[in-house]
Amino acid sequence: MKPTRVSRKKEAWAEADQYRWAIYWLLIAVCLGGSIGRTLAVSGEHGRHPFLSANDRSRWATVRSLVDHHTFAIDDVIQDRYWDSIDKVYHLGPDGKYHYYSSKPPLMSVVLAGEYWLIKNVMGIEIAQHPFYVGRAIMIFTNSLLLLGLIWPTILIVERYAKSDFARVGIVATVCFGTFLTTYAVTINNHLLAATSVAIALYCGLRVWCDGCSEAWYFLGAGFFAACAAVNDLPAFSFFGLLGLALLIKRPLPTLLYGIPAAIVILAVSLGTNYIAHQSWRPPYAHRSDGPVLGKVATKLHGPLDQQELPAAIREVLAEMDVVLSDEAQIITRETGSRWVLLDHGIDRRYAIQRTDSGIEVRDWDDWYDYDTSYWKPGVKKGVDEGEPSRAWYAFHVILGHHGILSLTPVWLLTILGLGLWLGEKGASRQVAAFIVLLTVVCVLFYIFRPLKDRNYGGMTSGFRWAFWLIPLWLTAMIPVLDRWRKWWWGQRIFAALLLFSAISASYSGLNPWIHPWIYNYLGYLGWLP
């Protein structure tokens, strides 16, 4: 009996599915293998440790301190200069004394400390003596899981919503090789975690919004992972809020029963760990200014203060607050004629003194970044960290310049085309496109309109890392373009060229993502940068 035309077509589809999934597994294997290989190869300053920058050393210092010293304070750890970091703050600890702490949100460090605790107690290996073994083991385990958590939802999204194998395989190849997320898989960072969380929450949200699913798992996943993205990357709160609103409109009861409680769990854990670490509900980067006014002095004392003399009037103001200064109290000038710090080593306290139009204000000291050796004080920062004075020039370099989203990874040009195609359609596609456009615009504008001190492209980094959490959204928006180009030879070649160029940019910093992009370095070589 000969097979019918329908059965032959089903067999052909099944065989095509097998080949496509074989390609997926091959891409995953190459991506993970490359990530693990690069992780094994990395080493920091002078090859003394596997930690690549101040950014990741800040987290590693907390991990080591939690397990080895049972505290969030990193004073003992950073005495070794190979563990020190500029990404730290200085404030009162629970013992009433000042200590150094990592400026990074502590939740991720707590999770990594759990991994280190297992290694130390099961294998008897300490990270201080064997930083390469312990550090690389944790990085390989953690980042491999995060990469899988990023790639797998991407596969599920394209399998469900893309119509062609060209689009499906092309987008999976892009997430494996054409973005900076795989670049950052050789170091501990929040960007890969945030993007992975967005990918999972996006898949769950699409199943609810586009397919009308009402299973509890989709709401639990959307709520938990959208909140996880938000607590690990501040601008992702826009994704968390907008996705939550969309699900509340589409399916209010399951969102209230499952989505919101799941989100509350991760938000509560994040706030709780921050409070335990810093005795404050606000994260460290929210402590960048003087605290509340403790008292005022009507006379202008800036002359004696500039001479680093402590006027009796200042002592009297603090005495009214039951603060008795010791003989070791001294004045340190921060801004001549306008701001000073009162430092008393005898009682281990410090206060801010601010000149106003009417006199002098004595304030509680709440600028955790204002300590003697701080890199973040005015006049100390250098290079790109000084900030770009021109907001227009900054916007250009963020989008098309030396840290440009489109110049470094031009594959996102297809995202723009895809969003345009979806916006021209009706129904769920237009709504998803509007969702992605709004979040992208909000994130980019948020950083463009930051004050001068924050207009630094993310510091020493291979790309505009503050937008990396948007990558799962941008990948999804490529679907309509690649679906239309599946039979057009010129479209296939354009996509291949864009992906190749993006992969080159991503691989340029494959052994250390905490370096400048190749465009920035090349412009510096030409002498076109100040």
Side-chain angles (χ1 to χ4, degrees), residues 121-234:
N121 287 274
V122 174
M123 304 180 65
I125 303 177
E126 294 191 10
I127 196 170
Q129 282 72 43
H130 302 282
F132 283 92
Y133 292 150
V134 178
R136 284 171 173 171
I138 293 175
M139 284 191 288
I140 289 172
F141 176 77
T142 302
N143 288 343
S144 294
L145 285 181
L146 291 177
L147 281 177
L148 282 174
L150 171 70
I151 298 171
W152 197 255
T154 304
I155 292 175
L156 295 179
I157 289 172
V158 297
E159 280 291 309
R160 187 156 194 90
Y161 302 107
K163 300 175 182 177
S164 66
D165 288 348
F166 177 65
R168 294 173 181 135
V169 174
I171 291 173
V172 174
T174 301
V175 73
C176 287
F177 307 111
T179 80
F180 282 105
L181 293 177
T182 50
T183 307
Y184 273 77
V186 300
T187 182
I188 293 300
N189 65 95
N190 62 306
H191 306 298
L192 179 57
L193 174 56
T196 297
S197 301
V198 168
I200 299 172
L202 176 63
Y203 172 70
C204 295
L206 290 174
R207 292 305 312 273
V208 174
W209 186 263
C210 298
D211 302 333
C213 295
S214 56
E215 288 88 343
W217 289 111
Y218 293 120
F219 295 90
L220 290 169
F224 183 87
F225 286 102
C228 186
V231 300
N232 283 285
D233 222 326
L234 178 63

Side-chain angles (χ1 to χ4, degrees), residues 26-37:
L26 179 62
L27 292 174
I28 291 173
V30 174
C31 178
L32 290 181
S35 171
I36 293 172

Side-chain angles (χ1 to χ4, degrees), residues 158-409:
V158 297
E159 280 291 309
R160 187 156 194 90
Y161 302 107
K163 300 175 182 177
S164 66
D165 288 348
F166 177 65
R168 294 173 181 135
V169 174
I171 291 173
V172 174
T174 301
V175 73
C176 287
F177 307 111
T179 80
F180 282 105
L181 293 177
T182 50
T183 307
Y184 273 77
V186 300
T187 182
I188 293 300
N189 65 95
N190 62 306
H191 306 298
L192 179 57
L193 174 56
T196 297
S197 301
V198 168
I200 299 172
L202 176 63
Y203 172 70
C204 295
L206 290 174
R207 292 305 312 273
V208 174
W209 186 263
C210 298
D211 302 333
C213 295
S214 56
E215 288 88 343
W217 289 111
Y218 293 120
F219 295 90
L220 290 169
F224 183 87
F225 286 102
C228 186
V231 300
N232 283 285
D233 222 326
L234 178 63
F237 265 104
S238 58
F239 172 76
F240 169 66
L242 193 57
L243 181 63
L245 178 62
L247 297 184
L248 196 60
I249 293 172
K250 191 73 172 181
R251 291 285 189 272
L253 186 58
T255 302
L256 292 172
L257 289 177
Y258 306 113
I260 292 179
I264 289 175
V265 169
I266 189 68
L267 292 173
V269 171
S270 177
L271 284 173
T273 53
N274 189 82
Y275 187 83
I276 294 171
H278 302 290
Q279 291 74 57
S280 172
W281 297 112
R282 292 180 293 151
Y285 51 74
H287 294 266
R288 300 173 68 177
S289 59
D290 296 329
V293 177
L294 301 179
K296 297 182 179 180
V297 180
T299 56
K300 297 181 179 181
L301 304 172
H302 56 278
L305 289 170
D306 279 341
Q307 298 297 320
Q308 297 185 347
E309 298 176 4
L310 178 56
I314 302 295
R315 288 182 178 270
E316 294 172 1
V317 167
L318 292 173
E320 294 176 1
M321 304 295 297
D322 295 326
V323 176
V324 179
L325 299 177
S326 73
D327 295 335
E328 297 182 40
Q330 59 178 313
I331 297 295
I332 299 175
T333 303
R334 284 290 185 254
E335 298 174 28
T336 302
S338 61
R339 185 176 181 273
W340 306 265
V341 172
L342 169 56
L343 179 63
D344 191 340
H345 289 294
I347 61 174
D348 202 11
R349 289 294 183 274
R350 55 181 59 201
Y351 301 92
I353 301 175
Q354 181 72 48
R355 180 183 179 183
T356 65
D357 293 336
S358 58
I360 295 292
E361 290 181 345
V362 180
R363 292 175 170 266
D364 193 13
W365 186 77
D366 197 47
D367 189 345
W368 292 1
Y369 291 85
D370 183 14
Y371 49 89
D372 293 341
T373 60
S374 176
Y375 173 77
W376 307 106
K377 293 186 299 185
V380 178
K381 293 185 293 185
K382 53 188 177 182
V384 72
D385 288 324
E386 293 183 90
E388 172 54 58
S390 169
R391 183 169 279 112
W393 198 237
Y394 186 70
F396 170 77
H397 281 301
V398 164
I399 299 171
L400 294 171
H402 51 61
H403 280 74
I405 297 169
L406 296 177
S407 53
L408 289 171
T409 45

Side-chain angles (χ1 to χ4, degrees), residues 179-180 183 407-410 462 499-510 517-519:
T179 80
F180 282 105
T183 307
S407 53
L408 289 171
T409 45
S462 54
L499 177 57
L500 174 63
F501 196 92
S502 301
I504 290 172
S505 292
S507 62
Y508 175 81
S509 51
W518 69 267
I519 297 179

Side-chain angles (χ1 to χ4, degrees), residues 415-438:
T415 296
I416 298 175
L417 293 177
L419 290 172
L421 292 172
W422 269 351
L423 288 172
E425 298 179 2
K426 295 181 179 180
S429 297
R430 173 183 290 180
Q431 295 160 356
V432 171
F435 179 88
I436 297 172
V437 169
L438 179 59

